[in-house]
Amino acid sequence: MLFENPQIATHELPSVEDVQFQRLPPQALKLRTIGWCITQGIILFILLGVFLFGEVFKKQWLWIFIFSLWALQALYFFWMARKRFFCEGYAVREKDIIHTKGYWLRTQLTVPYNRVQHVEIEQGPLARAFGLGGISVYTAGDSGGDLSISGIEYQEAERIKQFIAQKVGSDE
């Protein structure tokens, strides 16, 4: 048997820009905003506790500076959460699944079904209230090729899981 491995011209390869990514539902943005509020509330609660009961800093200007920094970082992370949300998407294709995310650092992960070990669906109490869930696709090896999409509709996650399980089962 003769081994052949012809070279492919890179300009002839299909473009990933042609993929129609599915966007996350609007409820996912609400859920992420609630998560942002909880995180910022905890940070503010800790700062207020140190301010009211701590003996560490007595200078008023320092606390004005600290709370101003907190407000700036809170606004920045709120803005970034929205930007990241609108950049996130996924595509389920015949032979693989693609997930793209990130605003400053763009990440696009493609997992072929023949590398999938198992698929899980997660749903916390807040996500359940919004009818959302997450899907995690675990791959063979330890190369960081696991894919996780949070904030998709729970029924959609179930359909994707069944589709991937069917694909993985038919490839064996």
Side-chain angles (χ1 to χ4, degrees):
M1 179 159 97
L2 180 64
F3 176 74
E4 292 185 29
N5 191 9
Q7 185 171 350
I8 299 173
T10 55
H11 67 277
E12 294 176 5
L13 292 173
S15 175
V16 77
E17 284 84 26
D18 297 338
V19 174
Q20 297 295 318
F21 287 99
Q22 177 78 28
R23 297 291 169 204
L24 299 178
Q27 307 94 283
L29 182 58
K30 292 177 187 174
L31 183 63
R32 290 180 185 186
T33 302
I34 290 171
W36 172 86
C37 289
I38 291 170
T39 302
Q40 293 303 321
I42 290 170
I43 294 170
L44 182 61
F45 184 73
I46 291 169
L47 282 176
L48 286 173
V50 172
F51 175 70
L52 295 175
F53 302 111
E55 297 292 327
V56 180
F57 303 112
K58 292 292 187 183
K59 299 187 188 305
Q60 184 178 4
W61 66 267
L62 185 60
W63 282 105
I64 292 171
F65 178 73
I66 290 172
F67 282 110
S68 297
L69 280 180
W70 171 81
L72 285 174
Q73 69 81 29
L75 288 173
Y76 172 76
F77 284 113
F78 177 72
W79 176 73
M80 281 307 300
R82 294 183 60 80
K83 288 288 192 187
R84 280 193 306 263
F85 174 79
F86 292 112
C87 291
E88 188 168 353
Y90 63 96
V92 179
R93 303 191 310 173
E94 190 65 32
K95 299 195 184 290
D96 58 27
I97 183 169
I98 304 173
H99 181 225
T100 184
K101 64 181 180 176
Y103 181 71
W104 295 117
L105 279 172
R106 302 279 300 156
T107 303
Q108 189 171 72
L109 183 62
T110 303
V111 174
Y113 299 133
N114 62 1
R115 289 198 59 226
V116 173
Q117 291 293 311
H118 69 279
V119 182
E120 289 181 357
I121 297 177
E122 306 92 19
Q123 189 181 41
L126 280 176
R128 191 175 305 118
F130 284 96
L132 300 174
I135 188 165
S136 294
V137 179
Y138 297 96
T139 61
D142 192 26
S143 63
D146 297 338
L147 182 140
S148 183
I149 307 169
S150 63
I152 61 176
E153 293 178 355
Y154 189 77
Q155 284 76 22
E156 179 82 4
E158 283 282 345
R159 285 193 299 273
I160 293 170
K161 179 183 177 185
Q162 290 173 356
F163 178 77
I164 293 173
Q166 180 184 27
K167 285 294 191 178
V168 170
S170 68
D171 287 346
E172 295 179 338

